[in-house]
Amino acid sequence: MNFQLTEEHLLIQGMAKDFAETVLKPGVIERDEKQVFPRELIRQMGELGFMGMMVSPEYGGGGMDTMSYVIAMTEIAKWDASAAVIMSVNNSLVCWGLETYGSEAQKQKYLPKLATGEWIGSFCLSEPEAGSDATQQKTTAVDMGDYYLLNGTKNWITNAGHADVYLVIAQTDVEKKHKGINALIVERTMPGFELGPKENKLGIRGSDTHSLNFNDIKVPKENRIGADGFGFSFAMKTMNGGRIGIASQALGIAEGALNLAVAYAKIRKAFGTEIRNHQAIQFKIADMAMKVEGAKLLIYKAACEKDNHGDYVASAAMAKLYASKIAMECASESIQIHGGNGYVKDYHVERFLRDAKITEIYEGTSEIQRMVISRAYLKD
Ligand code: CAA
């Protein structure tokens, strides 16, 4: 086993770090406070190749491996977890889902725009009554011959306000339960598409989250992803990779919190010396560093398994479960080390704590990850 990043990985890491520090960081506090979606910055991220990292070059992407994506996501999330989730949904749910399971025509039509940041993608699974229990889809896609008639409501949809393309999970045949669900590509311009209110969130406030209403949208049959009834499986398989992306976002928050705590401990003085010389601070730093490295190992393992076409379902769930837990812990400890300064916005770490919380909820709550992991171990 080789823990050394390749030259290409180091190059990508350097580019993402530089972009996060010089472009994302300067306005991040204001975007968080005013809930501003960084549309122009996402375009720049697209130009740098961050919006379709794993998409094949023939469809306009970077053709990179999952490790490269994890490394870039982590660097972006160290300063801007909102930009990171916009990037994560676009890369691992929308682009990866389309490239892996979409038709040739779908790939050619959508991927070049999505992979370059010209368009943004959104993934629509959650509903008012179908969050963790995702099989309970109430949105309907009635088979009308050469099109589906789409009706229903989706909730808590990341990127919804600025997306151009939405991958929508909907029930076609209720008798067949989860095997009667389809995944449809819906464009924002389709008649019957209605954007609901924007959520006023605790964290990741620079990303936008809306509900969506579909009112008799006629979705052409050629916009279905995969075979009839593949939609639930599509959502689950796509989210396995999505969980690696969110784990990387959580890792970025945790490592960012650690970095700021270390920097602060070197300049802040108390009781006649820099606080790094107090054991109370040293032990906190040691625990945070150990947790960050532990999460990194789990994420890198899941990414390697995915790249090697192994079964990464449980590994991805473990990576997300652990990384999101330690993101909360590291953000909280970093605030503690910063003392009163940690509680105010200028020092960033209070935002890290608010941003970290969602990583324990979206793309499967921590409780769902435990279900996924335990099922993998307890199955016959
Ligand atoms: N990978 C592949 N297939 C999976 C899977 C996985 N991780 N989990 C379940 N499946 C398959 C099962 O194999 C089964 O297939 P078959 O019928 O062919 O055997 C089918 O899905 C149904 O599975 P279960 O019988 O286990 O169904 P369940 O209802 O007991 O549990 C669940 C399913 C795992 C709890 C699932 O509902 C789930 O993952 N829920 C969480 C939903 C979620 O993550 N929502 C996040 C919203 S998206 C989001 O947050 C994006 C964003 O904006 C950032």
Side-chain angles (χ1 to χ4, degrees):
M1 201 178 289
N2 185 358
F3 288 99
Q4 206 107 40
L5 296 181
T6 64
E7 265 184 40
E8 196 185 340
H9 290 151
L10 289 171
L11 199 72
I12 291 160
Q13 188 174 44
M15 262 175 66
K17 182 174 189 293
D18 185 54
F19 184 81
E21 286 176 358
T22 59
V23 183
L24 293 175
K25 181 186 166 194
V28 69
I29 293 174
E30 192 180 353
R31 288 195 299 277
D32 168 71
E33 195 157 350
K34 298 184 178 160
Q35 296 206 89
V36 177
F37 185 90
R39 185 63 188 93
E40 183 44 40
L41 301 181
I42 296 299
R43 227 181 294 279
Q44 289 178 35
M45 284 170 68
E47 280 162 17
L48 289 170
F50 292 136
M51 295 308 281
M53 295 187 71
M54 295 171 288
V55 172
S56 312
E58 63 176 300
Y59 301 116
M64 291 176 226
D65 59 6
T66 310
M67 272 297 290
S68 305
Y69 168 56
V70 159
I71 290 164
M73 271 290 301
T74 306
E75 292 303 322
I76 299 292
K78 279 183 189 171
W79 284 110
D80 192 340
S82 295
V85 73
I86 299 164
M87 173 178 164
S88 180
V89 168
N90 200 71
N91 273 273
S92 42
L93 296 182
V94 179
C95 287
W96 189 85
L98 274 173
E99 185 163 20
T100 310
Y101 301 109
S103 68
E104 188 52 40
Q106 290 167 352
K107 290 185 220 184
Q108 282 185 11
K109 182 169 181 192
Y110 297 108
L111 285 175
K113 286 184 172 146
L114 287 166
T116 51
E118 185 184 341
W119 278 11
I120 294 177
S122 196
F123 183 84
C124 311
L125 172 67
S126 302
E127 296 188 355
E129 290 171 66
S132 290
D133 192 0
T135 59
Q136 301 303 308
Q137 295 290 306
K138 298 285 181 287
T139 295
T140 53
V142 178
D143 190 336
M144 304 296 282
D146 52 358
Y147 65 90
Y148 288 100
L149 195 63
L150 184 68
N151 278 290
T153 298
K154 294 287 175 182
N155 264 24
W156 312 295
I157 303 303
T158 305
N159 291 349
H162 288 79
D164 305 273
V165 181
Y166 302 78
L167 305 189
V168 177
I169 310 301
Q171 187 85 48
T172 295
D173 187 342
V174 76
E175 299 283 305
K176 291 186 183 161
K177 299 184 177 162
H178 70 277
K179 294 195 192 254
I181 289 175
N182 279 311
L184 304 178
I185 305 170
V186 172
E187 293 182 27
R188 189 192 187 93
T189 50
M190 287 180 174
F193 177 93
E194 187 193 342
L195 184 67
K198 178 170 169 157
E199 303 293 352
N200 187 2
K201 305 190 298 276
L202 172 75
I204 55 161
R205 288 166 58 83
S207 71
D208 71 351
T209 310
H210 289 250
S211 55
L212 292 175
N213 296 317
F214 310 125
N215 311 306
D216 283 336
I217 303 185
K218 290 181 179 174
V219 184
K221 270 273 169 73
E222 64 258 27
N223 282 27
R224 187 185 72 212
I225 302 172
D228 185 28
F230 178 64
F232 189 75
S233 187
F234 168 80
M236 292 297 113
K237 288 178 196 287
T238 303
M239 273 197 303
N240 292 328
R243 287 166 184 168
I244 298 176
I246 299 303
S248 311
Q249 181 198 24
L251 172 63
I253 296 170
E255 199 165 9
L258 169 63
N259 292 346
L260 290 185
V262 167
Y264 190 78
K266 289 180 182 175
I267 55 163
R268 174 72 179 181
K269 288 191 177 145
F271 303 103
T273 183
E274 292 158 359
I275 61 172
R276 68 169 150 180
N277 296 319
H278 297 302
Q279 198 176 58
I281 302 298
Q282 292 164 356
F283 282 11
K284 284 187 196 300
I285 297 290
D287 285 347
M288 289 164 76
M290 175 188 67
K291 289 171 183 176
V292 163
E293 291 306 311
K296 209 175 277 180
L297 289 178
L298 282 174
I299 296 170
Y300 286 8
K301 176 173 182 284
C304 286
E305 285 174 0
K306 179 166 174 283
D307 284 337
N308 292 317
H309 308 289
D311 179 351
Y312 59 97
V313 175
S315 302
M318 281 186 202
K320 180 182 181 289
L321 175 61
Y322 187 68
S324 57
K325 175 178 180 296
I326 67 110
M328 286 293 289
E329 292 167 359
C330 289
S332 178
E333 283 295 59
S334 189
I335 293 174
Q336 196 68 19
I337 290 169
H338 281 79
N341 281 332
Y343 205 67
V344 298
K345 292 190 186 296
D346 295 355
Y347 285 79
H348 295 280
V349 288
E350 63 80 35
R351 185 181 75 255
F352 289 5
L353 183 63
R354 290 186 286 104
D355 288 347
K357 184 61 201 170
I358 191 61
T359 66
E360 295 189 309
I361 297 171
Y362 57 22
E363 295 203 31
T365 61
S366 296
E367 292 72 19
I368 290 293
Q369 308 309 326
R370 288 187 172 90
M371 273 173 70
V372 173
I373 297 162
S374 60
R375 284 180 184 185
Y377 276 75
L378 295 171
K379 70 181 176 196
D380 291 325

